């Protein structure tokens, strides 16, 4: 799990399925191909898929946001 402090707009391409989690401050998320923008209050999360192209920014310009991502385990395979 990585924590990222942001004051400016950031672009992030999800390397794998994960939860995107707002830790501190409110986060505004735009996902390429998704007609909806997402607003995450502290403690809220958004499911992302591998390869999702996201633009993230703090909801309030004068209040930085901290976010992290929590990879989801790959489904186990049975033989």
């Amino acid at each position: 799990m990585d924590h990222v402090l942001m004051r400016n707009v950031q672009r992030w391409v999800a390397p794998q399925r994960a939860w995107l989690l707002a830790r501190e401050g409110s986060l505004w998320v735009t996902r390429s191909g998704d007609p909806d923008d997402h607003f995450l209050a502290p403690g809220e999360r958004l499911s992302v898929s591998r390869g999702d192209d996201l633009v993230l920014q703090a909801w309030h310009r004068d209040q930085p946001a901290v976010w992290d991502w929590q990879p989801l385990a790959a489904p186990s395979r049975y033989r």
Side-chain angles (χ1 to χ4, degrees):
M1 174 170 37
D2 295 324
H3 296 293
V4 180
L5 172 63
M6 57 184 288
R7 293 185 183 275
N8 299 314
V9 174
Q10 295 179 343
R11 180 172 176 244
W12 181 61
V13 178
Q16 65 188 80
R17 290 180 42 221
W19 288 111
L20 173 67
L21 179 64
R23 286 282 180 199
E24 297 175 27
S26 300
L27 194 59
W28 180 6
V29 182
T30 303
R31 181 178 7 215
S32 184
D34 185 345
D36 298 319
D37 286 351
H38 302 274
F39 172 79
L40 302 177
E44 292 183 332
R45 61 188 184 173
L46 176 69
S47 175
V48 297
S49 297
R50 181 177 183 263
D52 276 357
D53 188 354
L54 306 166
V55 175
L56 306 111
Q57 63 189 63
W59 182 252
H60 301 285
R61 288 189 182 267
D62 60 339
Q63 234 178 8
V66 176
W67 63 274
D68 67 26
W69 65 284
Q70 300 168 333
L72 295 173
S76 58
R77 295 180 184 228
Y78 295 96
R79 293 183 182 202

